[in-house]
Amino acid sequence: MTTATASKTAPGTSAELARLAAAHGLTLSGARPTLPRYIARLWQRRHFVTAYANARMQATYSTAKLGQVWHLMTPLLNATVYYFIFGLVLKASHGVPDYVPFLITGIFVWDFISSSVNAGTRAVHSNLGLVRALHFPRASLPLSTVVQLFQQLLVSMAALVVLLLAFGQRPGPAWLLALPALLLTAVFAAGCAMVMARIGSRSPDVSQLMPFVLRTWMYASGVMWSIDQMLGKNDLPHWVLTALKANPPAVYIDLMRFALIDSFPAHALPHHVWPLAVGWALLAGVGGFIYFWKAEEAYGRG
């Protein structure tokens, strides 16, 4: 038998080892599963996602005396600061009816989106010990952060309703539109969190840049000012105004404002807003999930 023939049949060769592994159902450790199988595994870990989200929410302000009250206080304090700066000093409230409800609605929705993106950036990298020690779908980590923040948003929405009633808003059938708007916002935020989780896992320094990116994104989303009122009368190119109004956070904030504020009736919504909201949610949610899944075997290595 020649040396070449012996090497082909030797039990220690790669081909022979691969054949033996396949015969006994062995697979490569940490290999990326197919997308349907990955989704099935993630669904099996859904209880872990919710439990981890609950644990994170309880631990977030565990050392603060006011505890979970800060979930409400933080956006309210932000709204107060922005009201004095933009509403009074910069006069962004001019021409905007019900400016206080307009402002606090935008702040609560934006706070959820920005917190999801920011937390997603650190979701994998800050849990490297867990990633390297246990085998589970890594998408559980950014998704658990979004679940945690969405739970906080629901609590905040109860406070938002009280504030809207205090400022003279009347509940009506249009308020039901807030439910699908919140769900679409959550899907969009989850997709963004998964995109940033993959980027942040390879480039942790991105988390230092995110506050500047998010602050710029906030100013472009009409959180504190009306895009139509501030820019509609300026000699700006039409595509600039269109781009700002099609900006995903601006779309979801507009949906919530038209649903909850009397001076922004639901029937006055532009026809393209709901298709845009669904489109952004699908693009970010599905695209972000696939983008994250494609690097599944790389998380925790290197």
Side-chain angles (χ1 to χ4, degrees):
M1 182 181 293
T2 64
T3 303
T5 304
S7 63
K8 291 180 180 179
T9 59
T13 61
S14 298
E16 181 66 14
L17 290 175
R19 187 187 67 79
L20 288 172
H24 294 279
L26 301 181
T27 59
L28 182 65
S29 177
R32 184 184 69 200
T34 62
L35 186 58
R37 187 170 180 81
Y38 188 71
I39 295 173
R41 289 180 179 177
L42 187 60
W43 176 251
Q44 292 171 356
R45 303 296 191 278
R46 64 189 183 279
H47 301 299
F48 164 74
V49 173
T50 55
Y52 189 55
N54 292 334
R56 285 173 55 90
M57 185 166 65
Q58 293 175 5
T60 300
Y61 299 109
S62 59
T63 58
K65 292 183 177 179
L66 295 179
Q68 304 297 321
V69 175
W70 284 109
H71 293 158
L72 301 176
M73 291 298 296
T74 300
L76 289 177
L77 290 173
N78 286 334
T80 302
V81 172
Y82 293 144
Y83 174 75
F84 281 105
I85 295 176
F86 291 91
L88 299 181
V89 178
L90 299 180
K91 302 185 185 304
S93 60
H94 287 193
V96 182
D98 299 315
Y99 181 72
V100 173
F102 172 93
L103 176 63
I104 58 178
T105 301
I107 290 293
F108 275 75
V109 176
W110 168 254
D111 189 63
F112 168 66
I113 295 175
S114 63
S115 297
S116 298
V117 174
N118 201 30
T121 306
R122 301 185 300 271
V124 174
H125 185 262
S126 62
N127 290 284
L128 283 179
L130 186 64
V131 170
R132 290 170 177 170
L134 300 174
H135 182 65
F136 62 96
R138 309 313 189 199
S140 303
L141 296 174
L143 288 178
S144 67
T145 64
V146 177
V147 170
Q148 171 206 350
L149 293 167
F150 189 70
Q151 290 173 339
Q152 295 177 10
L153 176 64
L154 293 180
V155 175
S156 301
M157 289 303 298
L160 176 62
V161 168
V162 174
L163 290 170
L164 291 176
L165 293 174
F167 281 95
Q169 303 304 307
R170 296 168 297 176
W175 281 34
L176 296 176
L177 293 174
L179 297 177
L182 283 176
L183 292 176
L184 290 173
T185 305
V187 174
F188 171 78
C192 291
M194 286 187 284
V195 170
M196 294 311 303
R198 175 175 172 177
I199 295 174
S201 69
R202 303 302 300 174
S203 304
D205 289 341
V206 172
S207 62
Q208 303 301 320
L209 183 64
M210 288 311 297
F212 304 99
V213 174
L214 290 172
R215 193 175 300 122
T216 303
W217 200 6
M218 177 181 67
Y219 293 146
S221 300
V223 177
M224 297 84 62
W225 50 282
S226 170
I227 296 175
D228 287 323
Q229 288 293 331
M230 295 292 288
L231 301 181
K233 298 179 182 180
N234 293 343
D235 296 328
L236 291 174
H238 181 69
W239 68 266
V240 174
L241 185 62
T242 302
L244 290 175
K245 294 178 70 173
N247 177 23
V251 170
Y252 296 119
I253 290 171
D254 277 347
L255 286 179
M256 292 299 296
R257 285 170 174 162
F258 279 106
L260 299 176
I261 302 176
D262 294 340
S263 53
F264 294 84
H267 62 77
L269 270 176
H271 297 298
H272 64 273
V273 171
W274 280 106
L276 262 180
V278 174
W280 281 123
L282 290 176
L283 179 64
V286 177
F289 185 80
I290 294 175
Y291 178 74
F292 184 90
W293 161 75
K294 281 184 172 294
E296 178 73 8
E297 69 274 16
Y299 300 126
R301 298 185 178 182

